[in-house]
Amino acid sequence: MNQEQFNDRNVSDDGYLKVDIADYPTTPWGRFKRVVDRTFKLELFVGLWVVLREMIKFDIHTVKYPEEKMPIGPRYRAVHEMKRLWESDTERCIGCGLCEKICISNCIKMDTKIDENSRKEVSEYTINLGRCIFCGYCAEVCPELAIVHGGEYENASDQREHFVDFAQMLTPIDTMKEGKQLEFEGFGAITPHEDERVKKTPLAY
Amino acid sequence: MIKFFIDSKEVTAKKGESILEVARREDIYIPTMCYLPKATAIASCRMCSIEVQGQEGFVLSCNTPPVEGINVITNSDSLYHERQNIMKLYNVNHPLQCGVCDKSGECDLQNKTLEFDVGEQDFAVRDQARKKKKWGIHTYDPALCILCEKCATVCNETVGNEALFIKPGGYKSHIEIDLSNCIQCGECISVCPVGAMASTDFKYTSNAWELDKVPSSCAHCSSACSLNYESKDGTIMRVTNESDFSSLCGAGRFGFDFENRVLNKDENAFNEAIESFKRAQNVVFSSFITNEEAYILNELKKKLGFNLVNEDARLFGEFMKNFSTTASESLYNATIDDLKISDFIISIGCSIESDNPMIKFAASQAVKNKKAWVASIAPVVEHDISNVVSQYINNEVGSEEAALAMITDTFIEDKASQQTFFDSLDLGYLSGESNISEEELDLLKTKFARKLNPILVIGEDVINHPRAKNIALLAGYLQKSELFKVIIVPPSTNTLGVSLICDLDKPQDGFSVGYNAPADFTLSAKGSGDLDMPALNQQEGTFVNIDKDLVVLNAAIKHHGYELNDIANALGVESENIIDYTSKLGFKTIEFDDLDNYYDNVGNAYRGYKIESKKNRKKATLDEVEELAEYNGSVVYARNPLRQFSSFTKDCKQLDAKLELVGSEQFALASKIKSGDHVKFSVDNVEFSRVFKLDKHMKGTVAYNPTFDMDLKSSGYRYNQVKLEVINE
């Protein structure tokens, strides 16, 4: 497809199936005729029959939310999750502060300190979901794949403070121990051919 | 002048300038890793290599002076390749921890690695386990260290401590420390291009890009060094400086948390303050004050007619007045920068080590770079700076006048103008009384030969000396004789500024209002008085520092309470902002917002403006040297330990200093006390209670008495004979 075709936004010309719909009546006499047709030609029962037929079939397509939920794509960007390391079950977050820096709605706030092993430790981490626009920059910039977007899209709550705490975002340790932590497959995730792309440092030993 | 070309652009070099310096001056970029403009070239990184047309091989631009007519090529394919390889070598086994490293975002290694596009590594060596080390206020991570040697250079040359050194061992080389020499100034942290030297307190608390930089001036001593307060969410996290060109002492770098946190305006206290001002007989204030505030106080004095009291500045002002009658100009003529390139320094009445750290830093640079002869005339021997001081001349306590008279007599050749004074000198008597021998002066005289930039440093001891007047006349006479440049160390941060702006009085009996000084009603920036005032890192204003520069102070933290300008407005001295007074101080009519505060590419400081010295046509004759008071028994010397200056530095969490009376064994014997004793004594009617600590290196019967816990330090003579009382429980 060349560029000209791509830019041609006049979609109505071809390639579309045109439904044979009569034009809207423009005269009062035409509108009167439409009312009479709809009332007396039993068109109403056509629709009712469709509903009845589908009901009797018991093959219902409606998702009974909130009992049922649609599966969402792995790249869906909803409430953030904090992942743990597979090797040690500890947090992946190293406290580099890049998510805080890149956040365009300024909703991430973190504090770090030196811990007893003289490593950097995240002492405070919150995301204000009331401000978050779910752009995904934080997940994209994270060098450790620690902060990712999850599938939790139900943000309704009676408390503003809900869903913003580090502990709540972090994969529960039980889930981790069971090996059920799900990796994010969206932007920034490791691709299947990652090994081939990595350039190795020469080692003298 | 040497004419040559850099990238075909014609440039000229001054004598002693290196190619790199010329290039920087001409805005031509040559990458460097280890180059530190304020010190001698280290030449360890080889990044600054350049080519000279027609010559084979590379030349290091940082330590090579140009030759007439050469054409220097700063960039070529082979140079790029060379520099890229250097960066690759620096990156061998450098931990890939930029995510957690404090330096990330302001790291030279990071920048140059990206600049030279080092995406992959051709070199490798077996990595080794390297332990992090904690050295008090700084931590050292040898794994991150690139061995540029900047830290060791500043420690040895700029600061003159010789604490840091390189432990050689090929790939195992690392930095080691002799902690007993370390004064915890943090210069090494500031120059480290990577995250190897880091502040223990700051470590891992925030990233470089999160901090708001506020360029300001240090509020602790009269050097008022340039610094940047770096704050995050209303808290100062650290202090940085233009480490390429300027230095900071430990108090400046780590004593930043002296702000006065006030939540709201205390109206009752404010009204009380206004009433107090109206009925005040005296308004006492300390010299930890901006020029603008001092100006306001002076205006209030004109309006309300109280006595404006600041003994420290009054004595200094008087000293300068006397000084100017013989010097024929109102100010002394040397600066700290002059001291750095001086080759002969005599200090009198100054604790070089602790009064003003920049004096010591500068003297150290003079010794290292100019082979300067540094003579310290003081009753105490400061053994910690024995690598800076070449000659200790130990005078008797109180005999500073005699000492300076003997110096004058030794150096002045043409004695005609003050013949009566020189005739009246009884050198034998003076020598006997001051305990300065002729041999010592002869040595001084011998060392003086062929020196080009001799400087006389006048310290606080003589400014508030009983015989200050004649000392000032002598110092002025020495400046006038052009034998010496003279620098007088103002005792507190803005003593010089206050003495120039305010019309000060002697204190009288009656109700007094104090500003950072104890009084009946106290305005305090310490939070301990009746009305809270902003501390010096919370307000805008200016200082006049030891270099006679009017330097800019900016607010790093908001103050939510009242400030002096509010009080002045309520009392009828009206102005919207306190900085409106900057142009009215009586120096130059430049608005506060037009004052510069930066360093240029080559390191020239553009900080405010220089206060011009005025001509003084008065003529004065030198007084006869008076008979000397005797100081026997236990003498204490009001001298703060390093990194402590005032009650503002006292509570800074990174500046720990004990309130100890430090003395020699001789002092302990004479006073019949031993190390660890609680002693009580009084100086100028102020009672001190201190723990005595024996210092084996000290000599003589003078002990150091810290005064940084006092709200307003005494402005009497700093040596005092005391009676010690042991009060052990």
Side-chain angles (χ1 to χ4, degrees):
Chain A
M1 196 185 265
N2 62 38
Q3 195 67 31
E4 272 168 41
Q5 278 173 294
F6 211 65
N7 289 338
D8 183 13
R9 298 254 158 72
N10 193 6
V11 289
S12 61
D13 283 358
D14 47 35
Y16 278 81
L17 177 70
K18 285 185 180 161
V19 186
D20 191 20
I21 299 172
D23 290 335
Y24 282 99
T26 50
T27 58
W29 174 241
R31 276 201 281 275
F32 176 73
K33 250 171 55 176
R34 193 174 62 171
V35 172
V36 172
D37 280 355
R38 283 186 176 174
T39 315
F40 299 105
K41 267 187 161 177
L42 300 178
E43 274 184 3
L44 178 70
F45 294 100
V46 176
L48 287 176
W49 166 242
V50 172
V51 173
L52 191 70
R53 191 184 64 202
E54 292 301 317
M55 217 171 81
I56 299 165
K57 270 193 189 164
F58 292 106
D59 179 21
I60 301 169
H61 287 273
T62 313
V63 176
K64 291 178 190 160
Y65 184 82
E67 282 100 58
E68 282 178 353
K69 287 174 188 171
M70 290 277 277
I72 52 167
R75 293 169 159 212
Y76 193 78
R77 301 197 301 259
V79 174
H80 310 74
E81 285 175 2
M82 278 286 173
K83 297 293 181 193
R84 287 178 187 272
L85 284 169
W86 289 109
E87 293 87 348
S88 61
D89 293 353
T90 51
E91 301 151 17
R92 284 184 195 173
C93 180
I94 53 168
C96 67
L98 290 180
C99 49
E100 187 185 13
K101 175 69 185 165
I102 205 164
C103 182
I104 50 171
S105 53
N106 279 338
C107 65
I108 301 182
K109 177 88 191 78
M110 66 193 295
D111 271 332
T112 52
K113 64 170 197 222
I114 191 163
D115 72 359
E116 61 274 14
N117 304 319
S118 62
R119 293 170 70 97
K120 197 174 190 176
E121 184 190 53
V122 181
S123 52
E124 203 75 43
Y125 194 105
T126 53
I127 301 179
N128 181 350
L129 290 185
R131 290 188 66 90
C132 180
I133 58 163
F134 301 95
C135 63
Y137 279 7
C138 53
E140 188 178 330
V141 81
C142 182
E144 300 290 313
L145 296 176
I147 186 167
V148 298
H149 281 289
E152 181 60 60
Y153 49 79
E154 292 161 320
N155 288 347
S157 168
D158 51 5
Q159 288 292 321
R160 228 173 237 236
E161 288 77 20
H162 284 186
F163 311 115
V164 297
D165 196 32
F166 186 76
Q168 276 170 314
M169 288 186 285
L170 194 62
T171 311
I173 190 75
D174 299 337
T175 319
M176 196 67 219
K177 290 248 163 72
E178 288 165 23
K180 283 184 183 163
Q181 173 173 269
L182 293 173
E183 285 297 331
F184 181 62
E185 290 174 38
F187 197 96
I190 292 173
T191 62
H193 308 294
E194 203 70 64
D195 284 350
E196 293 152 32
R197 290 171 51 208
V198 170
K199 283 180 188 163
K200 287 180 183 167
T201 303
L203 293 174
Y205 44 92
Chain B
M1 291 299 215
I2 304 151
K3 266 195 189 149
F4 68 110
F5 301 88
I6 302 179
D7 292 338
S8 308
K9 179 185 177 187
E10 193 183 303
V11 291
T12 47
K14 286 177 220 134
K15 193 171 166 273
E17 248 183 337
S18 66
I19 297 172
L20 182 60
E21 279 170 306
V22 179
R24 291 240 167 141
R25 180 154 52 75
E26 298 288 332
D27 269 340
I28 298 166
Y29 177 65
I30 299 175
T32 58
M33 281 298 283
C34 74
Y35 182 62
L36 197 56
K38 70 178 171 188
T40 40
I42 301 162
S44 73
C45 73
R46 317 195 79 77
M47 282 289 279
C48 66
S49 300
I50 42 126
E51 280 177 30
V52 175
Q53 207 165 30
Q55 301 280 319
E56 229 175 86
F58 299 140
V59 178
L60 291 188
S61 62
C62 68
N63 65 355
T64 314
V67 177
E68 185 81 36
I70 56 166
N71 186 17
V72 168
I73 298 157
T74 61
N75 215 341
S76 67
D77 285 347
S78 53
L79 277 172
Y80 185 83
H81 186 68
E82 167 90 358
R83 290 168 183 163
Q84 194 179 35
N85 274 343
I86 292 169
M87 290 321 297
K88 281 183 185 173
L89 284 167
Y90 270 141
N91 280 311
V92 170
N93 289 340
H94 190 90
L96 292 169
Q97 297 172 347
C98 295
V100 291
C101 183
D102 276 332
K103 202 71 183 180
S104 181
E106 52 177 15
C107 174
D108 272 2
L109 188 72
Q110 225 175 28
N111 293 346
K112 294 282 184 311
T113 300
L114 292 170
E115 186 183 332
F116 291 99
D117 199 18
V118 181
E120 47 197 285
Q121 183 60 279
D122 308 328
F123 310 111
V125 71
R126 179 182 285 274
D127 207 350
Q128 48 189 348
R130 294 169 192 251
K131 279 224 168 82
K132 286 183 190 172
K133 284 162 198 165
K134 194 176 162 186
W135 294 330
I137 46 91
H138 60 297
T139 47
Y140 173 61
D141 187 346
L144 294 169
C145 182
I146 59 167
L147 285 171
C148 66
E149 303 177 24
K150 273 186 185 179
C151 54
T153 307
V154 287
C155 194
N156 296 324
E157 190 179 313
T158 316
V159 183
N161 279 346
E162 293 159 17
L164 292 173
F165 56 93
I166 311 260
K167 183 113 185 176
Y171 185 57
K172 284 199 182 100
S173 311
H174 59 277
I175 306 288
E176 267 298 338
I177 194 169
D178 177 357
L179 263 179
S180 62
N181 280 350
C182 178
I183 59 163
Q184 311 259 302
C185 64
E187 270 291 281
C188 47
I189 299 173
S190 72
V191 296
C192 186
V194 291
M197 288 279 177
S199 157
T200 310
D201 177 74
F202 178 72
K203 195 152 181 137
Y204 295 159
T205 53
S206 51
N207 293 307
W209 56 80
E210 295 173 311
L211 300 163
D212 298 322
K213 268 192 178 185
V214 178
S216 189
S217 303
C218 179
H220 293 317
C221 86
S222 51
S223 288
C225 304
S226 132
L227 52 72
N228 302 312
Y229 290 115
E230 300 203 351
S231 62
K232 184 169 127 181
D233 304 332
T235 311
I236 300 178
M237 304 300 285
R238 65 168 173 184
V239 160
T240 55
N241 65 329
E242 284 289 342
S243 58
D244 274 355
F245 312 118
S246 70
S247 299
L248 276 180
C249 72
R253 194 177 306 282
F254 301 111
F256 50 76
D257 46 341
F258 56 92
E259 74 274 3
N260 188 16
R261 288 212 183 265
V262 185
L263 294 175
N264 44 34
K265 300 192 171 187
D266 185 350
E267 232 166 279
N268 291 336
F270 180 68
N271 292 331
E272 219 177 302
I274 289 165
E275 288 310 310
S276 306
F277 261 99
K278 280 181 184 161
R279 68 193 182 97
Q281 291 286 314
N282 299 305
V283 171
V284 192
F285 67 104
S286 79
S287 298
F288 294 98
I289 191 170
T290 61
N291 290 328
E292 286 73 14
E293 285 182 312
Y295 183 82
I296 286 180
L297 289 176
N298 203 42
E299 289 296 302
L300 286 175
K301 177 197 163 169
K302 282 182 200 162
K303 202 169 173 81
L304 302 174
F306 48 70
N307 288 314
L308 197 54
V309 180
N310 181 337
E311 282 300 276
D312 162 50
R314 188 180 66 80
L315 289 171
F316 188 79
E318 215 150 86
F319 191 88
M320 289 311 298
K321 212 171 87 196
N322 290 324
F323 176 84
S324 66
T325 53
T326 44
S328 302
E329 54 182 330
S330 64
L331 291 168
Y332 49 86
N333 58 358
T335 63
I336 297 276
D337 280 340
D338 290 334
L339 207 56
K340 284 176 188 167
I341 53 160
S342 152
D343 46 12
F344 185 81
I345 300 170
I346 297 180
S347 139
I348 181 158
C350 178
S351 162
I352 298 179
E353 191 183 358
S354 81
D355 277 2
N356 186 327
M358 286 308 124
I359 297 272
K360 186 232 164 175
F361 284 21
S364 156
Q365 286 162 54
V367 170
K368 292 272 156 49
N369 299 333
K370 303 284 168 191
K371 301 198 167 47
W373 184 263
V374 181
S376 163
I377 306 176
V380 290
V381 173
E382 292 178 308
H383 59 85
D384 281 343
I385 50 165
S386 53
N387 57 340
V388 173
V389 178
S390 338
Q391 187 187 5
Y392 288 105
I393 300 178
N394 230 327
N395 65 316
E396 283 293 320
V397 175
S399 67
E400 282 83 359
E401 187 193 7
L404 198 58
M406 287 161 78
I407 295 285
T408 316
D409 185 63
T410 313
F411 289 100
I412 297 272
E413 300 290 345
D414 174 29
K415 294 175 180 172
S417 62
Q418 300 281 359
Q419 199 59 49
T420 42
F421 167 75
F422 288 108
D423 287 343
S424 75
L425 286 182
D426 180 355
L427 288 178
Y429 169 76
L430 293 180
S431 168
E433 284 296 305
S434 64
N435 206 9
I436 298 173
S437 69
E438 230 163 90
E439 289 76 44
E440 283 174 311
L441 291 173
D442 284 347
L443 177 64
L444 207 55
K445 179 97 181 170
T446 329
K447 293 295 174 187
F448 183 70
R450 290 195 304 280
K451 295 293 187 185
L452 300 169
N453 300 306
I455 287 187
L456 177 69
V457 181
I458 305 275
E460 190 189 336
D461 303 3
V462 297
I463 291 162
N464 39 34
H465 195 276
R467 295 284 299 157
K469 187 182 171 209
N470 204 30
I471 298 176
L473 294 175
L474 281 166
Y477 181 62
L478 279 169
Q479 172 168 320
K480 175 84 178 164
S481 72
E482 288 176 5
L483 273 180
F484 288 95
K485 273 189 163 185
V486 176
I487 187 164
I488 301 175
V489 186
S492 294
T493 308
N494 201 18
T495 308
L496 179 56
V498 173
S499 73
L500 292 172
I501 291 163
C502 292
D503 178 19
L504 298 163
D505 308 296
K506 281 186 183 167
Q508 281 169 11
D509 282 343
F511 184 79
S512 62
V513 173
Y515 184 22
N516 288 328
D520 300 322
F521 187 90
T522 316
L523 316 172
S524 169
K526 289 282 303 161
S528 57
D530 302 308
L531 179 65
D532 285 306
M533 286 278 129
L536 286 172
N537 55 6
Q538 290 172 294
Q539 50 178 311
E540 291 185 316
T542 55
F543 288 146
V544 180
N545 70 2
I546 187 170
D547 289 344
K548 300 153 287 170
D549 286 333
L550 185 108
V551 295
V552 175
L553 198 69
N554 284 313
I557 302 179
K558 275 195 184 131
H559 178 67
H560 299 292
Y562 287 103
E563 53 177 33
L564 195 64
N565 196 31
D566 297 327
I567 295 176
N569 279 334
L571 288 168
V573 176
E574 279 170 36
S575 160
E576 191 188 345
N577 297 309
I578 193 156
I579 51 167
D580 296 339
Y581 292 114
T582 307
S583 56
K584 299 174 188 159
L585 292 171
F587 308 126
K588 284 185 185 172
T589 49
I590 301 178
E591 292 293 334
F592 180 83
D593 292 335
D594 300 331
L595 291 171
D596 290 330
N597 195 11
Y598 68 96
Y599 285 82
D600 74 359
N601 210 15
V602 252
N604 297 321
Y606 293 89
R607 302 181 62 206
Y609 55 80
K610 197 153 231 80
I611 308 266
E612 298 297 337
S613 200
K614 291 186 197 113
K615 283 267 169 296
N616 189 337
R617 293 190 196 289
K618 270 189 206 155
K619 284 262 168 353
T621 43
L622 301 170
D623 276 357
E624 244 176 78
V625 177
E626 228 174 51
E627 223 167 282
L628 308 164
E630 292 221 1
Y631 286 77
N632 293 323
S634 318
V635 176
V636 294
Y637 178 37
R639 173 193 184 272
N640 287 317
L642 276 176
R643 311 204 299 161
Q644 289 292 350
F645 294 100
S646 63
S647 52
F648 291 104
T649 53
K650 186 186 147 216
D651 294 332
C652 293
K653 67 172 192 278
Q654 291 186 74
L655 308 178
D656 50 335
K658 291 173 190 128
L659 285 163
E660 282 168 339
L661 183 72
V662 185
S664 64
E665 275 177 19
Q666 204 182 336
F667 180 85
L669 274 176
S671 316
K672 300 192 180 86
I673 50 174
K674 57 183 190 303
S675 199
D677 275 351
H678 280 262
V679 293
K680 207 168 75 177
F681 54 92
S682 72
V683 175
D684 292 343
N685 303 321
V686 182
E687 195 116 302
F688 288 95
S689 147
R690 300 274 187 253
V691 178
F692 178 70
K693 195 181 152 225
L694 192 87
D695 187 340
K696 286 216 165 70
H697 299 283
M698 276 176 69
K699 288 187 189 94
T701 56
V702 179
Y704 298 149
N705 178 32
T707 54
F708 64 88
D709 60 328
M710 298 172 70
D711 285 334
L712 185 67
K713 71 174 176 184
S714 158
S715 43
Y717 185 46
R718 286 168 76 189
Y719 292 90
N720 282 284
Q721 202 169 315
V722 293
K723 238 182 115 180
L724 295 174
E725 198 182 319
V726 180
I727 48 161
N728 287 343
E729 279 94 49

